Amino acid sequence: MSAAGANQFHESAVAQVRGGAHYIDDLPEVRGTLHAAPILSNMAHGTLRGVDTAAALAMPGVVDVVLAADIPGDPMLAAFAGDEPVFAQDSVQFIGQVVGLVLAQTAMQARHAARKVQLHIDALPAVLTTAQAMAAQSFVLPPVNVRRGDATAALQAAQHSLHGTLEVGGQEHFYLEGQIAYVLPQEQNQWLIHSSTQHPGEVQHWVSHALGIDNHAVKVECRRMGGGFGGKETQAGHLAVWAAVAAAKNKCAVKLRLDRDDDFMVTGKRHPFSYRYSAGFDDTGRLTALKLHMAVNCGFSADLSGPVADRAIFHTDNAYYLQDVDITSYRCKTNTQSHTAFRGFGGPQGVILIETVMGDIARALKMDPLDVRLRNLYSDELVSPSTSSGRTGNSAVRAELVEAPRRDTTHYQMKVEDNILQPLLSKLELSANYRRRVEAISAWNVQSAVLKRGIAITPVKFGISFTATLFNQAGALVHVYTDGSVQVNHGGTEMGQGLHTKVAQIVADELGIPFGRVLCTASDTSKVPNASATAASAGTDLNGRAAQFAARHVRDNLAAFVCGLDGCGAGAIRFEGGQVHSPVTSRSFDDVVKMAYANRIQLWSDGFYRTPKIHYDKATLTGRPFYYFAYGAACTEVVIDTLTGESKVLKVDVLHDVGRSINPAIDIGQIEGGFVQGMGWLTTEQLVWNDKGYLSTHAPSTYKIPTAGDVPEHFKVDLWPEPNREDNVFGSKAVGEPPFMLAISVYEALRDAVAQARADGAVVHLVAPATAEHVLNALAAK
């Protein structure tokens, strides 16, 4: 029986249930370990005049205070923009910025003492919103513009037009395991870093940069994380650097684990976005022009804001052809936490905008929103003439010599070759009984004075690959031991998503052995160097393929050995069911391994994979940045209370495309989890900064993630039954991020409920997240 394609348990599931799966804070501490706590800025912007540590140093158990002057290497983090200090130096840029560390014998001693440090700061004006940043022209990176055709002329010629604004909030990652690093000095100025990170290679680079040593002197290890969601892609590097600087100064092991409140105050979030848009459309609901301004709240430094904002531009189309389009993205610098990667990486912020426009068009024309969405899907239909038609000057005269353009190419010039959304949406429409439910909900709302229901189907088309082409590579090692057991190490990291499980399934299939004979070990920079972050939903695509290639090399060695024994061609050797079959005889895999070892046959190998076909011009934001697209759609029904603004999700039906699933149980779990996390982003998870720049929602008491009670009883997930059309490992597709955007159906269903409650035919302006207050505001709007 094939290991891949089956519902295998997560490789750590039993250990996690029994308490035997170790996270960093579970590791035994070496003698002399000191515990660190951060000293945080209490002002959003100001000049740092001095740091008074006397009271802290007098506290019980306190050993040292570490500040910027103690950094042996570069005082700036090795981030690509080079705009973020390790510790605040001459100025502070947000409330929660780390000025230094207090070291003590226990974590609680360090935390209490850190609050005794006095910071002398002269206040400076703070920029706290995108509107203020735009007015001040405060940017972390230059604005970016992408256009096709002539959106201005197309808007003027449009049969109908609408204009609007949208505010979409950020989101706290709220991983169960908080940020943590444990740094242990080794001999000869070498270092072992236990880091809860999605990117061990970057942690290695950042630590060596801050310590002023070579990368090879730093080993970073991560067996597993208790959740990541993008929040441990760059942010984990900060903790490792801070702890390493402290360990280097004090010549001892240092552990730094943020408590939940400090984690909120220090680390970046999903980027909040502000939009201003104008859309032109015809009588049939087809979008003919779009002009869009995106203001991205990046926080005080660039971090990953550039590629996040770029991906938002890429995914502004979602499932729809944009004929004449003009998008400008402003990367605003504010005096808040530096916002960072989060599941979807800007994609959700692009998708929600265009889905809002589709809903607006439907209400303006009194059409069903699903019909408007279907009308605008990518297809092989010829592009209808517009004011620009994509040509200017003499090119229009020579049009007959050029193949007529079709509605199958994105605004960044990538052809959509694997589009399945038309049949997928049609299938979900039928299986969810959408049309019948629309009628039933309308009738129910007439009879219900206070409670009003809404329903929506929204699709998702999500590009899979790092937009930075160089990151689309991976390596792996496969070791076959003389008892026939197999160990795999690859450059990806396990954060609960099942990456190690899927990689083990792939390797087991390649060698024809049971899943239980394969063990994936901790991610380790001393085994697979220069590994990319486990991000962009590409963990299995990259590392699974690299591990498959490594296993294939070993299998080929064994096949060549057996064919030499049996006098047959290597192609006649089959590996399956723990047996090695030749035309002459069958042997157990274990026996073949023992024999091969005795004959000095190599039983280990490396594997390397680079994603094919992709290319991308960062200057113009054009090319083929993605290897393929993952598709899906969700039908969601909600109810709102028009007196209180409270809402509840009643039913969810999902049809999602994961290609040929390596592990259906894990994939469905990712779809369910992604949807619920997206639902939280758009309903209850509200980040609130006050007028001083203080994050008021910095704990579970004020920041509300969804609970089990928020998950509807009717939550049906089906998988689209078609392999990936590109040559991806096992015919699978990525599943980590795309389902997150299915939850935009919740937002659109809420807007439908508000529209039905108001019954005025007007555009519904609903701020996201759609808290009770925001729903009430939308109901009251005129």
Short mmCIF file of all heavy atoms in Angstrom, two decimals, residues 484-509:
data_model
loop_
_atom_site.label_atom_id
_atom_site.label_comp_id
_atom_site.label_asym_id
_atom_site.label_seq_id
_atom_site.Cartn_x
_atom_site.Cartn_y
_atom_site.Cartn_z
N GLY A 484 17.75 -1.23 7.72
CA GLY A 484 16.68 -0.89 6.80
C GLY A 484 15.85 0.30 7.22
O GLY A 484 14.95 0.72 6.48
N SER A 485 16.12 0.88 8.38
CA SER A 485 15.41 2.10 8.78
C SER A 485 16.02 3.30 8.05
O SER A 485 17.17 3.26 7.62
CB SER A 485 15.47 2.29 10.29
OG SER A 485 16.80 2.50 10.73
N VAL A 486 15.22 4.36 7.94
CA VAL A 486 15.59 5.50 7.11
C VAL A 486 15.43 6.79 7.91
O VAL A 486 14.42 6.99 8.60
CB VAL A 486 14.71 5.57 5.84
CG1 VAL A 486 15.06 6.80 5.00
CG2 VAL A 486 14.88 4.30 5.02
N GLN A 487 16.42 7.65 7.81
CA GLN A 487 16.36 8.97 8.43
C GLN A 487 16.42 10.03 7.33
O GLN A 487 17.22 9.94 6.40
CB GLN A 487 17.53 9.16 9.40
CG GLN A 487 17.47 10.45 10.19
CD GLN A 487 18.69 10.65 11.06
OE1 GLN A 487 19.64 11.33 10.68
NE2 GLN A 487 18.67 10.04 12.24
N VAL A 488 15.57 11.03 7.47
CA VAL A 488 15.50 12.13 6.50
C VAL A 488 15.74 13.44 7.21
O VAL A 488 15.22 13.68 8.30
CB VAL A 488 14.11 12.19 5.81
CG1 VAL A 488 14.10 13.28 4.74
CG2 VAL A 488 13.76 10.85 5.20
N ASN A 489 16.54 14.30 6.60
CA ASN A 489 16.69 15.66 7.07
C ASN A 489 16.54 16.58 5.87
O ASN A 489 17.11 16.32 4.81
CB ASN A 489 18.05 15.87 7.74
CG ASN A 489 18.12 17.22 8.44
OD1 ASN A 489 18.45 18.22 7.82
ND2 ASN A 489 17.79 17.23 9.72
N HIS A 490 15.76 17.63 6.05
CA HIS A 490 15.54 18.56 4.93
C HIS A 490 15.53 19.98 5.47
O HIS A 490 15.56 20.21 6.69
CB HIS A 490 14.25 18.24 4.19
CG HIS A 490 13.02 18.29 5.06
ND1 HIS A 490 12.34 19.44 5.32
CD2 HIS A 490 12.37 17.30 5.73
CE1 HIS A 490 11.31 19.19 6.11
NE2 HIS A 490 11.31 17.89 6.38
N GLY A 491 15.49 20.94 4.59
CA GLY A 491 15.61 22.34 4.99
C GLY A 491 14.35 22.97 5.50
O GLY A 491 14.37 24.11 5.97
N GLY A 492 13.22 22.26 5.44
CA GLY A 492 11.97 22.82 5.93
C GLY A 492 11.83 22.68 7.43
O GLY A 492 12.59 21.97 8.08
N THR A 493 10.86 23.38 7.98
CA THR A 493 10.62 23.33 9.42
C THR A 493 9.18 22.89 9.70
O THR A 493 8.27 23.18 8.91
CB THR A 493 10.85 24.70 10.08
OG1 THR A 493 10.06 25.70 9.42
CG2 THR A 493 12.31 25.09 10.03
N GLU A 494 9.02 22.21 10.80
CA GLU A 494 7.71 21.69 11.21
C GLU A 494 7.08 22.64 12.23
O GLU A 494 7.66 22.90 13.27
CB GLU A 494 7.87 20.30 11.83
CG GLU A 494 6.59 19.70 12.37
CD GLU A 494 5.54 19.47 11.29
OE1 GLU A 494 5.87 18.85 10.25
OE2 GLU A 494 4.39 19.90 11.51
N MET A 495 5.92 23.16 11.88
CA MET A 495 5.22 24.06 12.81
C MET A 495 3.82 23.56 13.13
O MET A 495 2.93 24.32 13.50
CB MET A 495 5.19 25.48 12.25
CG MET A 495 4.45 25.66 10.95
SD MET A 495 4.82 27.23 10.13
CE MET A 495 6.26 26.79 9.16
N GLY A 496 3.63 22.24 12.93
CA GLY A 496 2.33 21.65 13.17
C GLY A 496 1.55 21.37 11.91
O GLY A 496 0.51 20.71 11.94
N GLN A 497 2.06 21.84 10.77
CA GLN A 497 1.33 21.73 9.51
C GLN A 497 1.47 20.36 8.85
O GLN A 497 0.80 20.07 7.86
CB GLN A 497 1.78 22.83 8.54
CG GLN A 497 3.06 22.54 7.74
CD GLN A 497 4.35 22.80 8.49
OE1 GLN A 497 4.43 22.54 9.68
NE2 GLN A 497 5.36 23.28 7.80
N GLY A 498 2.35 19.51 9.39
CA GLY A 498 2.49 18.16 8.85
C GLY A 498 3.54 18.01 7.78
O GLY A 498 3.54 17.01 7.05
N LEU A 499 4.47 18.96 7.66
CA LEU A 499 5.50 18.88 6.63
C LEU A 499 6.34 17.62 6.79
O LEU A 499 6.58 16.89 5.82
CB LEU A 499 6.39 20.12 6.67
CG LEU A 499 7.61 20.11 5.75
CD1 LEU A 499 7.20 19.96 4.30
CD2 LEU A 499 8.45 21.38 5.96
N HIS A 500 6.84 17.34 8.00
CA HIS A 500 7.67 16.16 8.21
C HIS A 500 6.90 14.88 7.87
O HIS A 500 7.47 13.92 7.36
CB HIS A 500 8.15 16.10 9.66
CG HIS A 500 9.25 17.07 9.99
ND1 HIS A 500 9.90 17.82 9.04
CD2 HIS A 500 9.83 17.40 11.18
CE1 HIS A 500 10.82 18.57 9.61
NE2 HIS A 500 10.80 18.33 10.91
N THR A 501 5.61 14.87 8.18
CA THR A 501 4.78 13.70 7.89
C THR A 501 4.71 13.46 6.39
O THR A 501 4.90 12.33 5.90
CB THR A 501 3.37 13.89 8.46
OG1 THR A 501 3.47 14.25 9.84
CG2 THR A 501 2.54 12.61 8.33
N LYS A 502 4.44 14.51 5.64
CA LYS A 502 4.33 14.37 4.18
C LYS A 502 5.66 13.98 3.56
O LYS A 502 5.71 13.14 2.65
CB LYS A 502 3.81 15.68 3.57
CG LYS A 502 2.34 15.95 3.83
CD LYS A 502 1.89 17.18 3.06
CE LYS A 502 0.39 17.40 3.16
NZ LYS A 502 -0.06 18.55 2.35
N VAL A 503 6.75 14.57 4.03
CA VAL A 503 8.07 14.23 3.48
C VAL A 503 8.38 12.76 3.76
O VAL A 503 8.89 12.04 2.89
CB VAL A 503 9.16 15.15 4.06
CG1 VAL A 503 10.55 14.65 3.68
CG2 VAL A 503 8.97 16.58 3.55
N ALA A 504 8.06 12.30 4.96
CA ALA A 504 8.29 10.89 5.29
C ALA A 504 7.45 9.98 4.40
O ALA A 504 7.91 8.91 3.97
CB ALA A 504 7.97 10.63 6.76
N GLN A 505 6.21 10.37 4.10
CA GLN A 505 5.36 9.59 3.20
C GLN A 505 5.99 9.49 1.80
O GLN A 505 5.99 8.43 1.18
CB GLN A 505 3.97 10.21 3.11
CG GLN A 505 3.12 10.05 4.35
CD GLN A 505 1.78 10.75 4.22
OE1 GLN A 505 1.65 11.93 4.54
NE2 GLN A 505 0.78 10.03 3.74
N ILE A 506 6.50 10.61 1.33
CA ILE A 506 7.09 10.64 -0.01
C ILE A 506 8.32 9.74 -0.07
O ILE A 506 8.50 8.97 -1.03
CB ILE A 506 7.44 12.10 -0.38
CG1 ILE A 506 6.16 12.92 -0.58
CG2 ILE A 506 8.31 12.15 -1.64
CD1 ILE A 506 6.39 14.42 -0.52
N VAL A 507 9.18 9.83 0.94
CA VAL A 507 10.40 9.01 0.97
C VAL A 507 10.05 7.53 1.10
O VAL A 507 10.65 6.67 0.44
CB VAL A 507 11.32 9.47 2.11
CG1 VAL A 507 12.47 8.48 2.32
CG2 VAL A 507 11.88 10.86 1.80
N ALA A 508 9.07 7.21 1.94
CA ALA A 508 8.65 5.81 2.10
C ALA A 508 8.18 5.24 0.77
O ALA A 508 8.52 4.10 0.41
CB ALA A 508 7.54 5.72 3.15
N ASP A 509 7.42 6.02 0.02
CA ASP A 509 6.94 5.55 -1.29
C ASP A 509 8.09 5.36 -2.27
O ASP A 509 8.12 4.40 -3.04
CB ASP A 509 5.94 6.55 -1.88
CG ASP A 509 4.51 6.15 -1.57
OD1 ASP A 509 4.31 5.23 -0.76
OD2 ASP A 509 3.59 6.78 -2.14
#
